Amino acid sequence: MVRRSGNRPLPSLLYAILDPAQAEGRPWDFILHALLEGGARVIQLRAKELAAKDFLELATTARAVTRPAGCLLIVNDRVDIALACEADGVHLGQEDLPLSVARRLMGKQRLIGISTHDLGQAQEAERGGADYIGFGPVFGTFTTNTGYTSRGIESLREICQAVSIPVVAIGGISEANLAEAWEAGAHAAAMISDLMRADDDVAKKVRRILALRK
Amino acid sequence: MVRRSGNRPLPSLLYAILDPAQAEGRPWDFILHALLEGGARVIQLRAKELAAKDFLELATTARAVTRPAGCLLIVNDRVDIALACEADGVHLGQEDLPLSVARRLMGKQRLIGISTHDLGQAQEAERGGADYIGFGPVFGTFTTNTGYTSRGIESLREICQAVSIPVVAIGGISEANLAEAWEAGAHAAAMISDLMRADDDVAKKVRRILALRK
């Protein structure tokens, strides 16, 4: 088994994903600040629609405010952008650069998370030295058409028992159901839509979520 | 002025661009081998439509055969893939990672080329330490809708006089007009469509082109 970095534990409970394309007209940095104000301790920045130049610009801005806030910054998909903005890690899908290649480029000090959709992928990511995995979609999701059907809470439970690295539950997670994901053994629950599209106060929402397990 | 790497001169005359999406049904590696057989000394690999994983796979294959052939390999757009496959360089558009960031990640030993479309962009790339620039589209192009109108041969001449780094003419270059680009001062002419879509033998075509200036 490839040794993973291990020295930067992934914060638990909430794994916030910030996607400017999903901000529904609100400024993305308004949401970023609200997440930090609410106490988010890890934020993944996702911007599949943006040119690399613009993605890096967002990432650099996010890095400047997440660092003093003590919040980890994870860049989605792009190893070069993660390196360029000095992110704490990168999150990779099954179609992105392979884990072994990303580890060589990122070094051992940065986190690498891998999106997984079944037991085989989860175990492969663990063997390959991933610092954590995403698993899902757990519930139906409104965020993107991932091409995968919902895995359900029992599959999540199975994955959490099968691997010893942190599992981030993803896909259709909302304030209403995240306790189910935690209960099934997820280290954290990823939230996009329910955070980004929140009609209510994002900072308050984050605070409420984190207070559930205090 | 930022010092550019300088120690790996860009081969002159022909800058072949290999884009599997433009191969019109022929296997991309068939074209790759034909380019090498014909004597191509620099190949840029472009695969905008592919997932990173698949792009890296092509790039790794291309690296394995270009190296023993003494042909430089340049990866389009993606710094991380260029690093991962140990390419000789990366080629970046105006919407990709900025030159300064790419240089930091790529180091001084690898080439960085920048797509430019006017004098200001060309001079900025030179000042920023680019090893070479692409300039175009010189003629009408069938390859992609770049969003730029044809610059014409006189603009190419102006750019070649204004900068001291190698200029690669790009856009609508074919066997029929590449001598015009050389005559205007281009260090090399980039060819995609006319190579990729060639009805005739690709290796012979490359040999014919390189023989024009022997």
Side-chain angles (χ1 to χ4, degrees), chain A residues 51-54 56 77-81 83-86 94-98 101 104-105, chain B residues 51-54 56 77-81 83-86 94-98 101 104-105:
Chain A
K53 180 186 170 186
D54 298 324
L56 176 62
D77 287 353
R78 295 281 302 241
V79 170
D80 44 8
I81 292 176
L83 289 170
C85 78
E86 300 182 3
Q94 295 287 325
E95 298 305 312
D96 294 323
L97 291 187
V101 171
R104 187 154 47 83
L105 297 176
Chain B
K53 180 185 170 186
D54 299 323
L56 176 62
D77 285 354
R78 294 281 301 241
V79 170
D80 43 9
I81 293 177
L83 289 170
C85 77
E86 300 183 5
Q94 295 287 325
E95 297 305 312
D96 294 323
L97 291 187
V101 171
R104 187 153 48 84
L105 297 176

mmCIF file of all heavy atoms in Angstrom, chain A residues 51-54 56 77-81 83-86 94-98 101 104-105, chain B residues 51-54 56 77-81 83-86 94-98 101 104-105:
data_model
loop_
_atom_site.group_PDB
_atom_site.id
_atom_site.type_symbol
_atom_site.label_atom_id
_atom_site.label_comp_id
_atom_site.label_asym_id
_atom_site.label_seq_id
_atom_site.Cartn_x
_atom_site.Cartn_y
_atom_site.Cartn_z
ATOM 1 N N ALA A 51 -12.017 29.099 -17.735
ATOM 2 C CA ALA A 51 -10.686 28.967 -18.311
ATOM 3 C C ALA A 51 -9.682 28.883 -17.152
ATOM 4 O O ALA A 51 -9.930 29.391 -16.063
ATOM 5 C CB ALA A 51 -10.370 30.169 -19.187
ATOM 6 N N ALA A 52 -8.560 28.229 -17.417
ATOM 7 C CA ALA A 52 -7.551 28.014 -16.380
ATOM 8 C C ALA A 52 -7.114 29.322 -15.721
ATOM 9 O O ALA A 52 -6.940 29.395 -14.507
ATOM 10 C CB ALA A 52 -6.342 27.299 -16.973
ATOM 11 N N LYS A 53 -6.953 30.323 -16.550
ATOM 12 C CA LYS A 53 -6.525 31.633 -16.053
ATOM 13 C C LYS A 53 -7.510 32.184 -15.000
ATOM 14 O O LYS A 53 -7.115 32.696 -13.955
ATOM 15 C CB LYS A 53 -6.460 32.578 -17.253
ATOM 16 C CG LYS A 53 -6.041 33.972 -16.992
ATOM 17 C CD LYS A 53 -6.196 34.750 -18.311
ATOM 18 C CE LYS A 53 -6.026 36.228 -18.107
ATOM 19 N NZ LYS A 53 -6.325 36.954 -19.361
ATOM 20 N N ASP A 54 -8.792 32.068 -15.316
ATOM 21 C CA ASP A 54 -9.821 32.587 -14.407
ATOM 22 C C ASP A 54 -9.964 31.705 -13.167
ATOM 23 O O ASP A 54 -10.188 32.201 -12.062
ATOM 24 C CB ASP A 54 -11.166 32.678 -15.146
ATOM 25 C CG ASP A 54 -11.087 33.645 -16.323
ATOM 26 O OD1 ASP A 54 -10.386 34.659 -16.198
ATOM 27 O OD2 ASP A 54 -11.709 33.367 -17.359
ATOM 28 N N LEU A 56 -7.557 30.023 -11.804
ATOM 29 C CA LEU A 56 -6.405 30.351 -10.948
ATOM 30 C C LEU A 56 -6.639 31.655 -10.197
ATOM 31 O O LEU A 56 -6.262 31.774 -9.027
ATOM 32 C CB LEU A 56 -5.124 30.447 -11.779
ATOM 33 C CG LEU A 56 -3.884 30.881 -10.987
ATOM 34 C CD1 LEU A 56 -3.545 29.879 -9.886
ATOM 35 C CD2 LEU A 56 -2.678 31.082 -11.911
ATOM 36 N N ASP A 77 -9.979 19.034 -9.654
ATOM 37 C CA ASP A 77 -9.522 18.629 -11.001
ATOM 38 C C ASP A 77 -8.083 18.944 -11.383
ATOM 39 O O ASP A 77 -7.407 18.090 -11.949
ATOM 40 C CB ASP A 77 -10.379 19.245 -12.136
ATOM 41 C CG ASP A 77 -11.744 18.621 -12.260
ATOM 42 O OD1 ASP A 77 -12.006 17.615 -11.562
ATOM 43 O OD2 ASP A 77 -12.567 19.149 -13.030
ATOM 44 N N ARG A 78 -7.641 20.193 -11.172
ATOM 45 C CA ARG A 78 -6.403 20.655 -11.783
ATOM 46 C C ARG A 78 -5.223 20.681 -10.820
ATOM 47 O O ARG A 78 -5.117 21.548 -9.945
ATOM 48 C CB ARG A 78 -6.605 22.063 -12.352
ATOM 49 C CG ARG A 78 -7.597 22.127 -13.513
ATOM 50 C CD ARG A 78 -6.993 21.683 -14.818
ATOM 51 N NE ARG A 78 -5.846 22.460 -15.197
ATOM 52 C CZ ARG A 78 -5.777 23.185 -16.320
ATOM 53 N NH1 ARG A 78 -6.801 23.254 -17.136
ATOM 54 N NH2 ARG A 78 -4.671 23.830 -16.633
ATOM 55 N N VAL A 79 -4.286 19.772 -11.044
ATOM 56 C CA VAL A 79 -3.082 19.711 -10.218
ATOM 57 C C VAL A 79 -2.244 20.972 -10.396
ATOM 58 O O VAL A 79 -1.704 21.515 -9.423
ATOM 59 C CB VAL A 79 -2.259 18.452 -10.559
ATOM 60 C CG1 VAL A 79 -0.892 18.488 -9.898
ATOM 61 C CG2 VAL A 79 -3.011 17.187 -10.146
ATOM 62 N N ASP A 80 -2.140 21.462 -11.649
ATOM 63 C CA ASP A 80 -1.297 22.644 -11.878
ATOM 64 C C ASP A 80 -1.848 23.868 -11.157
ATOM 65 O O ASP A 80 -1.084 24.666 -10.580
ATOM 66 C CB ASP A 80 -1.054 22.910 -13.371
ATOM 67 C CG ASP A 80 -2.298 22.778 -14.245
ATOM 68 O OD1 ASP A 80 -3.411 22.623 -13.700
ATOM 69 O OD2 ASP A 80 -2.137 22.826 -15.487
ATOM 70 N N ILE A 81 -3.167 24.007 -11.133
ATOM 71 C CA ILE A 81 -3.764 25.154 -10.440
ATOM 72 C C ILE A 81 -3.615 24.997 -8.926
ATOM 73 O O ILE A 81 -3.339 25.962 -8.222
ATOM 74 C CB ILE A 81 -5.231 25.337 -10.875
ATOM 75 C CG1 ILE A 81 -5.243 25.768 -12.351
ATOM 76 C CG2 ILE A 81 -5.969 26.352 -10.000
ATOM 77 C CD1 ILE A 81 -6.610 25.905 -12.974
ATOM 78 N N LEU A 83 -1.150 23.539 -7.418
ATOM 79 C CA LEU A 83 0.244 23.887 -7.124
ATOM 80 C C LEU A 83 0.458 25.399 -7.223
ATOM 81 O O LEU A 83 1.116 25.997 -6.369
ATOM 82 C CB LEU A 83 1.184 23.185 -8.111
ATOM 83 C CG LEU A 83 1.328 21.667 -7.942
ATOM 84 C CD1 LEU A 83 2.091 21.071 -9.119
ATOM 85 C CD2 LEU A 83 2.027 21.332 -6.622
ATOM 86 N N ALA A 84 -0.109 25.980 -8.268
ATOM 87 C CA ALA A 84 0.129 27.406 -8.519
ATOM 88 C C ALA A 84 -0.416 28.293 -7.405
ATOM 89 O O ALA A 84 0.184 29.306 -7.073
ATOM 90 C CB ALA A 84 -0.475 27.808 -9.860
ATOM 91 N N CYS A 85 -1.553 27.910 -6.817
ATOM 92 C CA CYS A 85 -2.156 28.763 -5.778
ATOM 93 C C CYS A 85 -1.768 28.303 -4.377
ATOM 94 O O CYS A 85 -2.230 28.865 -3.396
ATOM 95 C CB CYS A 85 -3.677 28.802 -5.929
ATOM 96 S SG CYS A 85 -4.497 27.331 -5.288
ATOM 97 N N GLU A 86 -0.910 27.279 -4.324
ATOM 98 C CA GLU A 86 -0.487 26.722 -3.036
ATOM 99 C C GLU A 86 -1.674 26.241 -2.205
ATOM 100 O O GLU A 86 -1.786 26.515 -1.008
ATOM 101 C CB GLU A 86 0.363 27.731 -2.244
ATOM 102 C CG GLU A 86 1.613 28.116 -3.006
ATOM 103 C CD GLU A 86 2.523 29.070 -2.252
ATOM 104 O OE1 GLU A 86 2.211 29.402 -1.093
ATOM 105 O OE2 GLU A 86 3.526 29.486 -2.833
ATOM 106 N N GLN A 94 -12.411 10.249 -11.475
ATOM 107 C CA GLN A 94 -11.877 9.047 -12.126
ATOM 108 C C GLN A 94 -11.308 9.350 -13.513
ATOM 109 O O GLN A 94 -10.539 8.557 -14.046
ATOM 110 C CB GLN A 94 -12.972 7.973 -12.224
ATOM 111 C CG GLN A 94 -13.451 7.445 -10.869
ATOM 112 C CD GLN A 94 -12.415 6.527 -10.190
ATOM 113 O OE1 GLN A 94 -11.713 5.788 -10.843
ATOM 114 N NE2 GLN A 94 -12.335 6.610 -8.858
ATOM 115 N N GLU A 95 -11.693 10.479 -14.108
ATOM 116 C CA GLU A 95 -11.199 10.835 -15.447
ATOM 117 C C GLU A 95 -10.080 11.863 -15.404
ATOM 118 O O GLU A 95 -9.597 12.314 -16.442
ATOM 119 C CB GLU A 95 -12.348 11.355 -16.315
ATOM 120 C CG GLU A 95 -13.444 10.332 -16.564
ATOM 121 C CD GLU A 95 -12.899 9.046 -17.169
ATOM 122 O OE1 GLU A 95 -12.136 9.139 -18.136
ATOM 123 O OE2 GLU A 95 -13.230 7.947 -16.646
ATOM 124 N N ASP A 96 -9.684 12.262 -14.199
ATOM 125 C CA ASP A 96 -8.604 13.246 -14.061
ATOM 126 C C ASP A 96 -7.251 12.538 -14.047
ATOM 127 O O ASP A 96 -7.172 11.337 -14.282
ATOM 128 C CB ASP A 96 -8.819 14.070 -12.786
ATOM 129 C CG ASP A 96 -10.076 14.939 -12.876
ATOM 130 O OD1 ASP A 96 -10.362 15.459 -13.974
ATOM 131 O OD2 ASP A 96 -10.763 15.084 -11.856
ATOM 132 N N LEU A 97 -6.197 13.275 -13.749
ATOM 133 C CA LEU A 97 -4.878 12.651 -13.670
ATOM 134 C C LEU A 97 -4.918 11.529 -12.639
ATOM 135 O O LEU A 97 -5.536 11.661 -11.592
ATOM 136 C CB LEU A 97 -3.812 13.678 -13.261
ATOM 137 C CG LEU A 97 -3.469 14.757 -14.289
ATOM 138 C CD1 LEU A 97 -2.275 15.576 -13.802
ATOM 139 C CD2 LEU A 97 -3.161 14.162 -15.647
ATOM 140 N N PRO A 98 -4.238 10.419 -12.918
ATOM 141 C CA PRO A 98 -4.222 9.312 -11.960
ATOM 142 C C PRO A 98 -3.563 9.738 -10.634
ATOM 143 O O PRO A 98 -2.690 10.610 -10.608
ATOM 144 C CB PRO A 98 -3.356 8.254 -12.653
ATOM 145 C CG PRO A 98 -3.366 8.620 -14.099
ATOM 146 C CD PRO A 98 -3.510 10.111 -14.148
ATOM 147 N N VAL A 101 0.294 9.798 -10.382
ATOM 148 C CA VAL A 101 0.891 10.938 -11.095
ATOM 149 C C VAL A 101 0.698 12.212 -10.283
ATOM 150 O O VAL A 101 1.619 13.016 -10.114
ATOM 151 C CB VAL A 101 0.235 11.083 -12.490
ATOM 152 C CG1 VAL A 101 0.667 12.373 -13.163
ATOM 153 C CG2 VAL A 101 0.569 9.875 -13.360
ATOM 154 N N ARG A 104 3.050 12.385 -7.357
ATOM 155 C CA ARG A 104 4.406 12.742 -7.760
ATOM 156 C C ARG A 104 4.522 14.256 -7.942
ATOM 157 O O ARG A 104 5.497 14.877 -7.532
ATOM 158 C CB ARG A 104 4.743 12.008 -9.073
ATOM 159 C CG ARG A 104 6.139 12.134 -9.551
ATOM 160 C CD ARG A 104 6.555 10.939 -10.420
ATOM 161 N NE ARG A 104 5.598 10.566 -11.453
ATOM 162 C CZ ARG A 104 5.500 11.150 -12.654
ATOM 163 N NH1 ARG A 104 6.304 12.147 -12.982
ATOM 164 N NH2 ARG A 104 4.623 10.731 -13.543
ATOM 165 N N LEU A 105 3.496 14.869 -8.528
ATOM 166 C CA LEU A 105 3.539 16.315 -8.767
ATOM 167 C C LEU A 105 3.244 17.118 -7.501
ATOM 168 O O LEU A 105 3.813 18.186 -7.289
ATOM 169 C CB LEU A 105 2.538 16.702 -9.864
ATOM 170 C CG LEU A 105 2.783 16.112 -11.263
ATOM 171 C CD1 LEU A 105 1.650 16.508 -12.215
ATOM 172 C CD2 LEU A 105 4.119 16.575 -11.826
ATOM 173 N N ALA B 51 -10.502 13.933 -21.609
ATOM 174 C CA ALA B 51 -10.310 13.995 -20.164
ATOM 175 C C ALA B 51 -8.812 13.951 -19.895
ATOM 176 O O ALA B 51 -8.031 13.409 -20.689
ATOM 177 C CB ALA B 51 -10.991 12.817 -19.495
ATOM 178 N N ALA B 52 -8.429 14.533 -18.750
ATOM 179 C CA ALA B 52 -7.010 14.641 -18.405
ATOM 180 C C ALA B 52 -6.318 13.281 -18.413
ATOM 181 O O ALA B 52 -5.186 13.143 -18.881
ATOM 182 C CB ALA B 52 -6.862 15.305 -17.034
ATOM 183 N N LYS B 53 -7.015 12.295 -17.903
ATOM 184 C CA LYS B 53 -6.463 10.944 -17.839
ATOM 185 C C LYS B 53 -6.102 10.421 -19.231
ATOM 186 O O LYS B 53 -5.025 9.853 -19.448
ATOM 187 C CB LYS B 53 -7.537 10.048 -17.213
ATOM 188 C CG LYS B 53 -7.191 8.612 -17.037
ATOM 189 C CD LYS B 53 -8.454 7.908 -16.523
ATOM 190 C CE LYS B 53 -8.303 6.412 -16.530
ATOM 191 N NZ LYS B 53 -9.578 5.758 -16.166
ATOM 192 N N ASP B 54 -7.003 10.644 -20.185
ATOM 193 C CA ASP B 54 -6.775 10.163 -21.543
ATOM 194 C C ASP B 54 -5.710 10.995 -22.259
ATOM 195 O O ASP B 54 -4.907 10.464 -23.021
ATOM 196 C CB ASP B 54 -8.086 10.185 -22.334
ATOM 197 C CG ASP B 54 -9.130 9.279 -21.697
ATOM 198 O OD1 ASP B 54 -8.741 8.212 -21.192
ATOM 199 O OD2 ASP B 54 -10.311 9.644 -21.694
ATOM 200 N N LEU B 56 -3.212 12.456 -20.795
ATOM 201 C CA LEU B 56 -1.917 12.009 -20.251
ATOM 202 C C LEU B 56 -1.475 10.698 -20.892
ATOM 203 O O LEU B 56 -0.284 10.504 -21.162
ATOM 204 C CB LEU B 56 -1.995 11.852 -18.730
ATOM 205 C CG LEU B 56 -0.719 11.302 -18.082
ATOM 206 C CD1 LEU B 56 0.469 12.232 -18.308
ATOM 207 C CD2 LEU B 56 -0.929 11.057 -16.593
ATOM 208 N N ASP B 77 -1.789 23.487 -23.525
ATOM 209 C CA ASP B 77 -2.709 23.913 -22.442
ATOM 210 C C ASP B 77 -2.324 23.506 -21.019
ATOM 211 O O ASP B 77 -2.409 24.334 -20.114
ATOM 212 C CB ASP B 77 -4.140 23.393 -22.648
ATOM 213 C CG ASP B 77 -4.902 24.127 -23.729
ATOM 214 O OD1 ASP B 77 -4.369 25.122 -24.261
ATOM 215 O OD2 ASP B 77 -6.015 23.692 -24.059
ATOM 216 N N ARG B 78 -2.009 22.216 -20.807
ATOM 217 C CA ARG B 78 -1.953 21.701 -19.448
ATOM 218 C C ARG B 78 -0.525 21.549 -18.916
ATOM 219 O O ARG B 78 0.211 20.648 -19.299
ATOM 220 C CB ARG B 78 -2.641 20.338 -19.393
ATOM 221 C CG ARG B 78 -4.145 20.383 -19.655
ATOM 222 C CD ARG B 78 -4.946 20.831 -18.461
ATOM 223 N NE ARG B 78 -4.770 20.007 -17.310
ATOM 224 C CZ ARG B 78 -5.741 19.318 -16.710
ATOM 225 N NH1 ARG B 78 -6.965 19.352 -17.197
ATOM 226 N NH2 ARG B 78 -5.485 18.617 -15.629
ATOM 227 N N VAL B 79 -0.185 22.401 -17.966
ATOM 228 C CA VAL B 79 1.137 22.341 -17.336
ATOM 229 C C VAL B 79 1.304 21.035 -16.571
ATOM 230 O O VAL B 79 2.372 20.412 -16.607
ATOM 231 C CB VAL B 79 1.335 23.552 -16.398
ATOM 232 C CG1 VAL B 79 2.586 23.401 -15.552
ATOM 233 C CG2 VAL B 79 1.406 24.850 -17.207
ATOM 234 N N ASP B 80 0.251 20.600 -15.886
ATOM 235 C CA ASP B 80 0.392 19.372 -15.089
ATOM 236 C C ASP B 80 0.649 18.156 -15.974
ATOM 237 O O ASP B 80 1.472 17.290 -15.635
ATOM 238 C CB ASP B 80 -0.799 19.148 -14.139
ATOM 239 C CG ASP B 80 -2.164 19.410 -14.749
ATOM 240 O OD1 ASP B 80 -2.242 19.613 -15.985
ATOM 241 O OD2 ASP B 80 -3.149 19.399 -13.992
ATOM 242 N N ILE B 81 0.004 18.107 -17.123
ATOM 243 C CA ILE B 81 0.223 16.980 -18.029
ATOM 244 C C ILE B 81 1.612 17.063 -18.665
ATOM 245 O O ILE B 81 2.296 16.043 -18.809
ATOM 246 C CB ILE B 81 -0.907 16.917 -19.075
ATOM 247 C CG1 ILE B 81 -2.214 16.550 -18.353
ATOM 248 C CG2 ILE B 81 -0.592 15.915 -20.193
ATOM 249 C CD1 ILE B 81 -3.434 16.523 -19.215
ATOM 250 N N LEU B 83 4.239 18.286 -17.248
ATOM 251 C CA LEU B 83 5.167 17.829 -16.202
ATOM 252 C C LEU B 83 5.084 16.318 -16.034
ATOM 253 O O LEU B 83 6.099 15.635 -15.919
ATOM 254 C CB LEU B 83 4.834 18.508 -14.864
ATOM 255 C CG LEU B 83 5.169 19.999 -14.764
ATOM 256 C CD1 LEU B 83 4.577 20.589 -13.487
ATOM 257 C CD2 LEU B 83 6.676 20.223 -14.813
ATOM 258 N N ALA B 84 3.865 15.813 -16.020
ATOM 259 C CA ALA B 84 3.665 14.387 -15.738
ATOM 260 C C ALA B 84 4.291 13.492 -16.804
ATOM 261 O O ALA B 84 4.807 12.425 -16.487
ATOM 262 C CB ALA B 84 2.179 14.089 -15.589
ATOM 263 N N CYS B 85 4.255 13.927 -18.057
ATOM 264 C CA CYS B 85 4.799 13.073 -19.131
ATOM 265 C C CYS B 85 6.232 13.447 -19.478
ATOM 266 O O CYS B 85 6.804 12.874 -20.402
ATOM 267 C CB CYS B 85 3.919 13.144 -20.380
ATOM 268 S SG CYS B 85 4.147 14.650 -21.350
ATOM 269 N N GLU B 86 6.779 14.421 -18.740
ATOM 270 C CA GLU B 86 8.150 14.893 -19.008
ATOM 271 C C GLU B 86 8.302 15.414 -20.430
ATOM 272 O O GLU B 86 9.262 15.096 -21.145
ATOM 273 C CB GLU B 86 9.172 13.795 -18.713
ATOM 274 C CG GLU B 86 9.111 13.360 -17.260
ATOM 275 C CD GLU B 86 10.154 12.310 -16.903
ATOM 276 O OE1 GLU B 86 10.988 11.969 -17.754
ATOM 277 O OE2 GLU B 86 10.131 11.854 -15.742
ATOM 278 N N GLN B 94 -3.970 32.480 -24.361
ATOM 279 C CA GLN B 94 -4.182 33.671 -23.526
ATOM 280 C C GLN B 94 -5.118 33.384 -22.347
ATOM 281 O O GLN B 94 -5.137 34.139 -21.381
ATOM 282 C CB GLN B 94 -4.740 34.817 -24.373
ATOM 283 C CG GLN B 94 -3.764 35.332 -25.448
ATOM 284 C CD GLN B 94 -2.612 36.141 -24.867
ATOM 285 O OE1 GLN B 94 -2.783 36.855 -23.895
ATOM 286 N NE2 GLN B 94 -1.429 36.005 -25.461
ATOM 287 N N GLU B 95 -5.898 32.312 -22.408
ATOM 288 C CA GLU B 95 -6.828 31.990 -21.323
ATOM 289 C C GLU B 95 -6.307 30.872 -20.421
ATOM 290 O O GLU B 95 -7.004 30.415 -19.516
ATOM 291 C CB GLU B 95 -8.187 31.587 -21.899
ATOM 292 C CG GLU B 95 -8.887 32.698 -22.675
ATOM 293 C CD GLU B 95 -9.038 33.960 -21.850
ATOM 294 O OE1 GLU B 95 -9.480 33.858 -20.696
ATOM 295 O OE2 GLU B 95 -8.699 35.047 -22.367
ATOM 296 N N ASP B 96 -5.096 30.400 -20.714
ATOM 297 C CA ASP B 96 -4.512 29.340 -19.887
ATOM 298 C C ASP B 96 -3.768 29.953 -18.704
ATOM 299 O O ASP B 96 -3.864 31.149 -18.456
ATOM 300 C CB ASP B 96 -3.576 28.484 -20.751
ATOM 301 C CG ASP B 96 -4.333 27.711 -21.827
ATOM 302 O OD1 ASP B 96 -5.459 27.257 -21.537
ATOM 303 O OD2 ASP B 96 -3.810 27.570 -22.942
ATOM 304 N N LEU B 97 -3.029 29.128 -17.986
ATOM 305 C CA LEU B 97 -2.247 29.659 -16.863
ATOM 306 C C LEU B 97 -1.298 30.738 -17.367
ATOM 307 O O LEU B 97 -0.713 30.608 -18.440
ATOM 308 C CB LEU B 97 -1.441 28.548 -16.191
ATOM 309 C CG LEU B 97 -2.231 27.486 -15.412
ATOM 310 C CD1 LEU B 97 -1.270 26.571 -14.663
ATOM 311 C CD2 LEU B 97 -3.202 28.114 -14.438
ATOM 312 N N PRO B 98 -1.119 31.797 -16.588
ATOM 313 C CA PRO B 98 -0.196 32.862 -17.015
ATOM 314 C C PRO B 98 1.237 32.338 -17.140
ATOM 315 O O PRO B 98 1.637 31.407 -16.435
ATOM 316 C CB PRO B 98 -0.293 33.890 -15.882
ATOM 317 C CG PRO B 98 -1.571 33.591 -15.171
ATOM 318 C CD PRO B 98 -1.791 32.121 -15.330
ATOM 319 N N VAL B 101 3.394 31.991 -13.948
ATOM 320 C CA VAL B 101 2.993 30.847 -13.120
ATOM 321 C C VAL B 101 3.504 29.549 -13.750
ATOM 322 O O VAL B 101 4.055 28.681 -13.069
ATOM 323 C CB VAL B 101 1.447 30.803 -12.996
ATOM 324 C CG1 VAL B 101 0.990 29.509 -12.340
ATOM 325 C CG2 VAL B 101 0.949 32.015 -12.217
ATOM 326 N N ARG B 104 7.200 29.107 -13.209
ATOM 327 C CA ARG B 104 7.498 28.671 -11.848
ATOM 328 C C ARG B 104 7.304 27.159 -11.716
ATOM 329 O O ARG B 104 8.121 26.456 -11.121
ATOM 330 C CB ARG B 104 6.587 29.426 -10.869
ATOM 331 C CG ARG B 104 6.860 29.232 -9.419
ATOM 332 C CD ARG B 104 6.418 30.430 -8.569
ATOM 333 N NE ARG B 104 5.073 30.912 -8.859
ATOM 334 C CZ ARG B 104 3.951 30.407 -8.353
ATOM 335 N NH1 ARG B 104 4.000 29.379 -7.527
ATOM 336 N NH2 ARG B 104 2.771 30.907 -8.660
ATOM 337 N N LEU B 105 6.235 26.643 -12.326
ATOM 338 C CA LEU B 105 5.952 25.205 -12.226
ATOM 339 C C LEU B 105 6.842 24.374 -13.155
ATOM 340 O O LEU B 105 7.234 23.258 -12.816
ATOM 341 C CB LEU B 105 4.476 24.933 -12.550
ATOM 342 C CG LEU B 105 3.439 25.564 -11.619
ATOM 343 C CD1 LEU B 105 2.028 25.286 -12.121
ATOM 344 C CD2 LEU B 105 3.583 25.044 -10.193
#
